Amino acid sequence: MSNAQNIVILGGSFAGLSVAHYFLKHILPTLPKNNGASYHVYLIDSSTHYYWRIAAPRALVGKDMIQQDKMFLPIADGFKQYDSSIFTFIQATATSMDTNARTVTIEHASNSESQTLPYHALVIATGTRTPSPLLSLQGDYKITQNALQEMRGKLSSAKTIVIAGGGPAGVETAGEIGEALNGVAGFFQSRPANPKAKITLLSGSTKLLPMLRPALAKQAEVYLNRVGVDVVHNAKMQSVDSAGAQTLIHLDNGSTLEADIYIPATGVTPNSAFVPANLKTDKGYVKTNGKTLRVDEAGPRVYAAGDVGSYTRGGVMDIYDAIPVVLTNIKRDLQHAATAGASSPSPNNNNNNNNEKQSELAGNAPGSDRTYKANLKETQLVPVGRSKGVGAVFGWKLPTLMVYMIKGRNYMIDNAVTLQRGTKWEKEDGWKPTDA
Ligand SMILES: Cc1cc2nc3c(=O)[nH]c(=O)nc-3n(C[C@H](O)[C@H](O)[C@H](O)COP(=O)(O)OP(=O)(O)OC[C@H]3O[C@@H](n4cnc5c(N)ncnc54)[C@H](O)[C@@H]3O)c2cc1C
């Protein structure tokens, strides 16, 4: 029987891919191999492909607008560089976890069969979902691919479009659809001359883009008008129902809008249905120690990374800041566990003796942890159509040309492969306890 200790990572997107590559490249080689101990990484995702959802607003208006083979990348291909004795990708959905038995149960996509996987260390990186499958994965990537395809077909004949949500996803989506259907206003014009469709964006608030200062939000609204998008403030979608081919959008101010296409971009819900209730906040995020990124109440060596964790307000920059922290603490905890003789419960033996249980519960490494500090400065880039955009980085406002060059040109699609293959994490972000 193999005595490999399972390192289980749930979710294979921005956070989960980063954790897996960083662990395999920099942490695993440093772990003590006492008495022949070894480690095996299991990366679990409901989808075979990871989705560069950042580019969704442009991809939904035209297949050739963003290279599809760069938007959906096969997870397994990025891990061919590692030996199969240390890494396995499984297309499956986590359905429950048991912090006493230290197991997660997964349902395989291929045959719907359940498997219970013991973990020595567990990273929860299952992210969030949007109401629309256009903007995030909702199972296998083909669901999203089909939704994008269907949307492109519908847009070609749509005359009325309503988008709910004044955050970046709503603004970017409205901008892309506006420019694709209505074109751009000419010089000294504020609106396109011959708009093809009436496009309405419900901000759901008094302004667009809550993370940006009012002047930038106002500028985004001007750019939206230039591609024929009307912004409606102070009205939220309350419910929707269909009337034949039309969607009726009932607003909280009592009025109703009718649309050929309705796109909800009204925020996200954490993918945490499998996580026990005591480990979740009232909004469903995994309760994470905001400094160490451990899930303290789940027992030793359980961590959260990415948008599913309560420690973050979300976003890829936050993930990139968190990865070296969570991986340093995993490394320290695993080295400590190895020294203390901890091992994961054997899948073939439910009556582990007390010594094994005790050492499994060896706990966190003593000494200083590496700590995470959220960057709360105004940072967000929001393209509005194909050549304009608003944004700020660390509190510094960026000109529209910079927003275009950094993000609006192609929604940073070339970075997708660096996560898939782990080249983003080629170097370890070094840290010594004295840095604490
Ligand atoms: C339209 C849009 C545009 C965005 N643009 C930007 C941007 O420009 N800059 C930026 O910083 N951020 C942006 N974001 C936010 C960014 O996409 C997220 O911060 C990022 O995707 C979070 O990564 P993650 O790995 O935590 O989770 P996710 O990307 O949400 O991925 C979660 C993964 O877990 C899998 N999964 C879910 N549940 C289970 C389960 N039970 N079992 C197994 N697997 C599961 C999913 O299939 C998925 O692969 C944007 C978001 C949207 C929607």
Side-chain angles (χ1 to χ4, degrees), residues 181-422:
L181 298 188
N182 294 337
V184 185
F187 282 118
F188 307 113
Q189 311 276 306
S190 57
R191 293 184 175 260
N194 298 303
K196 190 178 153 210
K198 176 165 176 50
I199 305 171
T200 307
L201 175 65
L202 303 170
S203 81
S205 172
T206 53
K207 73 181 257 301
L208 295 170
L209 302 171
M211 270 170 68
L212 293 179
R213 69 191 82 169
L216 289 177
K218 195 72 210 157
Q219 187 60 48
E221 198 168 329
V222 170
Y223 290 152
L224 283 168
N225 293 160
R226 283 175 51 78
V227 293
V229 175
D230 298 312
V231 180
V232 174
H233 295 295
N234 300 312
K236 277 191 175 152
M237 178 279 296
Q238 206 160 46
S239 63
V240 290
D241 57 81
S242 52
Q246 298 274 293
T247 302
L248 302 179
I249 302 109
H250 307 290
L251 306 184
D252 60 358
N253 62 10
S255 61
T256 295
L257 301 175
E258 221 176 290
D260 298 326
I261 294 179
Y262 167 65
I263 302 177
T266 46
V268 293
T269 311
N271 292 318
S272 60
F274 64 93
V275 178
N278 66 313
L279 302 182
K280 293 191 278 194
T281 65
D282 54 357
K283 293 202 167 130
Y285 290 90
V286 176
K287 279 191 216 163
T288 315
N289 182 315
K291 291 203 155 125
T292 66
L293 310 187
R294 293 189 187 100
V295 182
D296 289 332
E297 292 174 50
R301 298 182 299 284
V302 180
Y303 315 81
D307 286 12
V308 76
S310 62
Y311 72 93
T312 174
R313 61 181 181 174
V316 176
M317 296 307 289
D318 262 26
I319 293 175
Y320 292 166
D321 287 345
I323 291 303
V325 174
V326 73
L327 268 300
T328 303
N329 292 335
I330 290 175
K331 176 178 173 178
R332 297 179 65 257
D333 291 346
L334 286 173
Q335 285 177 338
H336 170 62
T339 315
S343 60
S344 45
S346 160
N348 302 328
N349 177 9
N350 292 325
N351 299 314
N352 301 306
N353 67 40
N354 279 342
N355 284 345
E356 189 177 344
K357 277 198 172 158
Q358 279 310 309
S359 57
E360 172 60 15
L361 296 176
N364 305 334
S368 306
D369 290 310
R370 187 166 185 174
T371 55
Y372 167 83
K373 194 165 181 296
N375 174 9
L376 299 175
K377 293 202 175 125
E378 182 193 36
T379 298
Q380 195 164 66
L381 302 184
V382 187
V384 187
R386 277 170 245 161
S387 59
K388 301 282 185 201
V390 299
V393 173
F394 303 138
W396 296 91
K397 176 187 157 190
L398 292 189
T400 192
L401 182 63
M402 287 289 281
V403 177
Y404 164 78
M405 280 170 35
I406 299 170
K407 185 171 172 188
R409 201 169 46 86
N410 63 1
Y411 283 84
M412 305 181 290
I413 189 78
D414 294 326
N415 292 339
V417 73
T418 70
L419 280 183
Q420 180 213 20
R421 296 188 189 157

Side-chain angles (χ1 to χ4, degrees), residues 10-16 44-47 49-51 53-57 75 92-95 125-130 135-139 169 172-173 268 271 274 305-308 314-317 319 381 407 412:
L10 301 176
S13 182
F14 295 82
I44 316 290
D45 199 289
S46 314
S47 169
H49 288 52
Y50 112 94
Y51 178 35
R53 70 188 198 181
I54 291 173
I75 294 172
T93 298
T95 52
T126 45
T128 58
R129 64 176 59 209
T130 52
L135 305 178
S136 71
L137 292 185
Q138 323 245 310
E172 289 172 4
T173 301
V268 293
N271 292 318
F274 64 93
D307 286 12
V308 76
V316 176
M317 296 307 289
I319 293 175
L381 302 184
K407 185 171 172 188
M412 305 181 290

Side-chain angles (χ1 to χ4, degrees), residues 39-110:
Y39 299 86
H40 193 98
V41 174
Y42 286 94
L43 177 62
I44 316 290
D45 199 289
S46 314
S47 169
T48 52
H49 288 52
Y50 112 94
Y51 178 35
W52 189 259
R53 70 188 198 181
I54 291 173
R58 186 162 298 163
L60 63 82
V61 299
K63 195 169 182 188
D64 302 328
M65 306 284 286
I66 296 280
Q67 281 175 267
Q68 293 300 292
D69 57 347
K70 289 188 174 176
M71 254 193 107
F72 297 97
L73 293 170
I75 294 172
D77 284 5
F79 291 87
K80 283 186 177 157
Q81 59 192 295
Y82 308 106
D83 196 279
S84 60
S85 64
I86 56 169
F87 178 83
T88 304
F89 169 69
I90 304 177
Q91 187 193 8
T93 298
T95 52
S96 65
M97 63 182 270
D98 181 334
T99 54
N100 290 321
R102 296 180 66 77
T103 58
V104 289
T105 300
I106 59 173
E107 188 181 292
H108 288 257
S110 57

